[in-house]
Amino acid sequence: MPENLDQFEIAVAQIRKSAQILKLDSGMVDILTKPKRELTVNFPVRLDDGTVKVFTGYRVQYNYSRGPCKGGVRFHPNVSLNEVRALAAWMTWKTAVMNLPYGGAKGGVIVDPKKLSRDELERLTRRYTSEISIIIGPEKDIPAPDVYTDSQTMAWMMDTFSMIKGYSVPGVVTGKPLSIGGSEGRGEATARGAMYVARAAAKTRGIDTGKATVAVQGFGNAGSIGARLFHEELGSKVVAVSDSKGGVYNPNGLNIPELLIHKEKTGSVANFQGSKAISNEELLQLDVDILVPAALENQITEKNASAVKAKMVVEEANGPTTPKADEILHKNGVLLLPDILANAGGVTVSYFEWVQDMQSFFWSLEEVNNKLESLITKAYNDILPISQKENIDMRTAAYVYAVKKVVDAHKIRGLWP
Ligand code: NAD
């Protein structure tokens, strides 16, 4: 039977696996495997040619037993309710892994943003924000950027929500520009967090990051900054990167600063001077020390997992590895640092941004990075012994750690009425 690639069913399977280890009763498993609240909005947007098009968007609040919901907004043609549900579930475990006082949520709009003008994108963002404004807010649910949304999108969201309220509400979204209450370090936080976790894990595994070879799939916010940080801060040799238009490979190491300029100029990493073209499939199977999936879900599956030669997989993307692939990698001795830990730097600095907005008192870049490093390294150091003691992979250990925190919150709060 072919592997089930439905995102939400994968998310539920991951919860059930940790629930078994934690010996949770069926009522609690029922609570944990269902989203708390889901909103679907169909909303009209006027296009530049004067015609009107209706778009569909979602906001799913998966669980808020530990605090307000938190999670990004994705603009992509493949967005679906089940994908948003899965991403919202993962946010619940991610905030718990990092000990942030948040629940999990996610939003998305079915749209190809590359086909819209900037004005159309602004109108779409503003109308989507007004449609979901009934359930978001600094104490309720705080959106942030995700695939194909950025700090400009967040500025439009913050402005729209503030216009509805009649006063400025910077704490309603994170990932904003600095000039309206953004945080130092938020732009590179996801990749920086992944780098800190990779560095800690490499030490445990005896991998010298100064000599390590790295391949990165995806060259957006997470992937391009990830490649730069591995290159600049760890001195690793980044030999391959890719984006939606193709990949490039140089066994002697790619010149990352020049590649960033090339991507800026041409819109893609493809055709970078001094490199060989490589497909995404080939990139995943390269003989490198560290593989960093930083694009979309379901990239490492039962079909290609046994061909992965990397010693370590660092999931900057959400959900890039399927449960069957997890088993194969674990059996083959590949150390996988799961998304809910490896890419939690983004939501952690988002939390710092929200805290700074709420107290209207802002921190230096050094302060932000130091706090991020200490929180994410602590999470890694807490999860590693669970994986060793229970003899389970790092994803399952991270789930056991996170799910227990959410369960404890449910139990101590009790069931109303
Ligand atoms: P982004 O839009 O900035 O970049 C996405 C990148 O993936 C682009 O380079 C795109 O060309 C590439 N891509 C798309 N389809 C591809 C394919 N089939 N093969 C190879 N590359 C492909 O998005 P992002 O913010 O960097 O997010 C990437 C992943 O990281 C997502 O899974 C997202 O959920 C996750 N993530 C992002 C953040 C954040 O703060 N931005 C935080 C946590 C997790």
Side-chain angles (χ1 to χ4, degrees):
M1 210 170 64
E3 189 177 15
N4 184 349
L5 296 181
D6 180 276
Q7 290 305 300
F8 187 56
E9 286 179 31
I10 289 176
V12 167
Q14 290 164 336
I15 300 165
R16 289 192 189 282
K17 199 167 170 188
S18 61
Q20 253 177 6
I21 296 169
L22 289 165
K23 300 190 174 55
L24 301 182
D25 63 58
S26 62
M28 185 58 77
V29 174
D30 230 12
I31 292 174
L32 299 177
T33 50
K34 294 197 175 57
K36 174 78 190 156
R37 185 180 286 145
E38 304 181 336
L39 179 64
T40 299
V41 290
N42 297 301
F43 56 98
V45 175
R46 194 172 305 283
L47 303 181
D48 290 345
D49 65 5
T51 60
V52 169
K53 189 169 165 111
V54 173
F55 291 88
T56 300
Y58 308 101
R59 185 74 190 169
V60 173
Q61 298 177 338
Y62 195 82
N63 184 300
Y64 48 77
S65 58
R66 299 180 57 261
C69 292
K70 186 90 192 77
V73 172
R74 176 174 292 198
F75 289 172
H76 197 276
N78 296 344
V79 162
S80 67
L81 184 52
N82 256 11
E83 182 191 55
V84 178
R85 278 184 185 130
L87 290 161
W90 291 330
M91 286 307 297
T92 306
W93 318 126
K94 202 179 293 184
T95 54
V97 155
M98 293 305 299
N99 251 319
L100 310 177
Y102 283 144
K106 202 81 180 192
V109 177
I110 306 172
V111 58
D112 185 349
K114 291 181 180 168
K115 292 199 176 133
L116 296 189
S117 71
R118 188 183 151 92
D119 284 352
E120 288 169 335
L121 212 49
E122 176 173 354
R123 288 196 290 274
L124 174 130
T125 303
R126 287 185 180 279
R127 183 64 192 244
Y128 168 69
T129 308
S130 82
E131 298 279 347
I132 65 164
S133 66
I134 49 174
I135 59 165
I136 63 171
E139 303 88 13
K140 293 193 213 171
D141 179 2
I142 307 118
D146 191 66
V147 174
Y148 296 146
T149 56
D150 57 16
S151 59
Q152 177 62 75
T153 323
M154 294 306 113
W156 291 329
M157 291 189 76
M158 177 271 195
D159 184 69
T160 306
F161 190 83
S162 299
M163 289 300 111
I164 293 169
K165 291 285 171 193
Y167 53 89
S168 284
V169 191
V172 65
V173 289
T174 56
K176 299 179 295 295
L178 280 178
S179 56
I180 52 168
S183 175
E184 293 285 355
R186 174 60 183 89
E188 59 174 48
T190 301
R192 181 164 285 281
M195 189 237 343
Y196 290 141
V197 177
R199 191 177 60 189
K203 215 180 271 173
T204 329
R205 267 291 159 110
I207 298 173
D208 178 353
T209 50
K211 293 196 181 120
T213 49
V214 181
V216 184
Q217 184 199 39
F219 210 65
N221 178 286
S224 72
I225 300 174
R228 177 168 64 73
L229 292 177
F230 271 100
H231 168 82
E232 258 175 30
E233 301 221 359
L234 299 184
S236 311
K237 199 194 281 182
V238 181
V239 295
V241 303
S242 66
D243 61 25
S244 58
K245 297 195 181 105
V248 289
Y249 174 59
N250 181 340
N252 299 318
L254 295 161
N255 183 327
I256 298 299
E258 277 182 19
L259 183 54
L260 286 162
I261 297 169
H262 174 83
K263 166 98 185 179
E264 184 74 34
K265 272 196 203 146
T266 66
S268 169
V269 296
N271 304 319
F272 179 56
Q273 217 180 3
S275 70
K276 203 178 113 198
I278 185 173
S279 70
N280 266 299
E281 204 48 45
E282 290 167 327
L283 181 143
L284 296 172
Q285 300 174 15
L286 281 176
D287 190 2
V288 288
D289 296 303
I290 304 173
L291 174 63
V292 186
L296 294 168
E297 298 96 347
N298 292 341
Q299 298 303 303
I300 308 176
T301 66
E302 70 171 344
K303 284 194 190 137
N304 60 3
S306 48
V308 169
K309 298 177 195 73
K311 296 188 184 79
M312 213 161 90
V313 175
V314 185
E315 292 188 330
E316 282 194 6
N318 283 309
T321 314
T322 63
K324 286 211 169 137
D326 266 343
E327 282 171 25
I328 297 168
L329 295 179
H330 187 57
K331 201 174 77 210
N332 291 349
V334 179
L335 174 65
L336 181 135
L337 301 171
D339 46 9
I340 59 169
L341 170 67
N343 71 32
V347 70
T348 303
V349 177
S350 268
Y351 163 64
F352 296 161
E353 178 176 335
W354 177 80
V355 169
Q356 293 169 81
D357 288 339
M358 302 302 261
Q359 58 185 15
S360 295
F361 183 66
F362 291 85
W363 311 344
S364 68
L365 177 61
E366 196 188 4
E367 206 174 343
V368 168
N369 286 346
N370 286 343
K371 284 186 164 79
L372 169 62
E373 183 176 7
S374 86
L375 284 193
I376 207 158
T377 312
K378 177 183 182 319
Y380 172 77
N381 288 331
D382 283 351
I383 292 165
L384 182 65
I386 301 176
S387 124
Q388 291 166 335
K389 183 165 163 260
E390 302 281 343
N391 193 21
I392 49 181
D393 59 80
M394 283 294 279
R395 187 187 316 281
T396 312
Y399 269 77
V400 167
Y401 181 70
V403 169
K404 180 167 185 321
K405 288 204 174 103
V406 175
V407 168
D408 286 348
H410 275 285
K411 284 193 176 157
I412 198 79
R413 285 177 65 155
L415 187 59
W416 186 89

